[in-house]
Amino acid sequence: MAIREIYKDANGTRVPSVTTILSRFKDSGGLLYWANQQGLAGKTLDEARAPACTAGTMAHDLVEAHINTRPPPALQGNADTITKAKAAFAAYLTWAEMYKFTIRHTEVSLVSNAHQFGGRLDAVGMDGEGLVLLDWKTSNAVYADYLLQLAGYKVLWEENYPDNPLVGFHLCRFAKEEGDFSHHYFPKLDEEAETFLAMRRLYDRVKAVEKRVK
């Protein structure tokens, strides 16, 4: 299981992450349905949370190794799943060649002292227009939370690097089972950034209410 990163401000005070803030306001209906389905399948919660060797997760791992110039991971699973993962990775490489972007930074951990939160950006690169943020997801759909997460990262980057503004946001998705690759581009996320910061403020207000009943 991956170790959760801890973020602290300039004074050493622990602050929540982008994903922690967003998860506080997620609709629990889908999660409850998923947990029920896992239980019906005879799995414990720990077993259900264990990373699955799907085509999407394999493709994601191949991309991470590629952008970080690491040796490709050994793919384990049935032959059909591995074939789908390699096809998805090849589709990503074709897309990357088409956009002609270069990766400048990967796995960038940042903290906002102004808004008191932190996060880790998948990658920052350069395309024909300028500096862009890139994020990879393994999921069967694109969700609103993904845009809000990107917007939170935008706030982090622009506070820490005000002289290097982002001009675009690339969201790359690998479908879990089939490994299908899709790309979504957003030139601006200003309104989403305002929404995320409102959620950040509400996060503290909700926590304050919870303390009153403990």
Side-chain angles (χ1 to χ4, degrees), residues 11-206:
N11 296 317
T13 302
R14 185 169 177 174
V15 298
S17 69
V18 170
T19 53
T20 296
I21 294 166
L22 293 177
S23 65
R24 187 65 181 80
F25 302 101
K26 278 186 176 180
D27 179 6
S28 61
L31 180 59
L32 291 173
Y33 175 80
W34 171 83
N36 181 60
Q37 292 299 107
Q38 299 306 308
L40 291 174
K43 294 182 180 179
T44 66
L45 190 56
D46 286 339
E47 289 171 340
R49 284 175 171 170
C53 293
T54 65
T57 55
M58 289 182 188
H60 193 160
D61 290 344
L62 288 170
V63 169
E64 286 191 343
H66 176 73
I67 66 174
N68 287 289
T69 63
R70 298 194 296 256
L75 302 182
Q76 298 180 349
N78 64 64
D80 182 58
T81 300
I82 292 175
T83 296
K84 290 176 180 177
K86 290 181 177 179
F89 179 56
Y92 161 79
L93 293 177
T94 299
W95 168 78
E97 176 63 24
M98 180 178 67
Y99 269 86
K100 302 293 184 183
F101 70 81
T102 56
I103 301 295
R104 292 293 184 86
H105 311 282
T106 62
E107 299 178 359
V108 183
S109 293
L110 298 172
V111 170
S112 166
N113 288 300
H115 302 289
Q116 293 288 286
F117 71 93
R120 185 172 66 176
L121 290 59
D122 274 356
V124 175
M126 292 287 294
D127 66 10
E129 301 298 322
L131 203 63
V132 295
L133 178 63
L134 302 103
D135 197 62
W136 286 269
K137 297 295 184 188
T138 303
S139 65
N140 290 325
V142 174
Y143 302 100
D145 281 357
Y146 294 171
L147 290 191
L148 293 170
Q149 185 177 3
L150 283 170
Y153 293 160
K154 162 185 162 68
V155 173
L156 287 172
W157 179 267
E158 293 183 350
E159 178 180 329
N160 284 274
Y161 300 100
D163 297 329
N164 298 281
L166 299 166
V167 300
F169 306 85
H170 295 276
L171 175 62
C172 301
R173 181 184 71 91
F174 295 99
K176 287 184 179 180
E177 302 304 326
E178 296 299 323
D180 297 332
F181 172 77
S182 62
H183 165 247
H184 306 266
Y185 175 74
F186 306 94
K188 291 184 178 181
L189 290 176
D190 296 339
E191 292 185 2
E192 289 78 7
E194 291 180 10
T195 300
F196 174 81
L197 290 177
M199 296 173 75
R200 172 64 188 98
R201 294 189 293 272
L202 186 57
Y203 177 88
D204 281 346
R205 294 176 71 99
V206 171

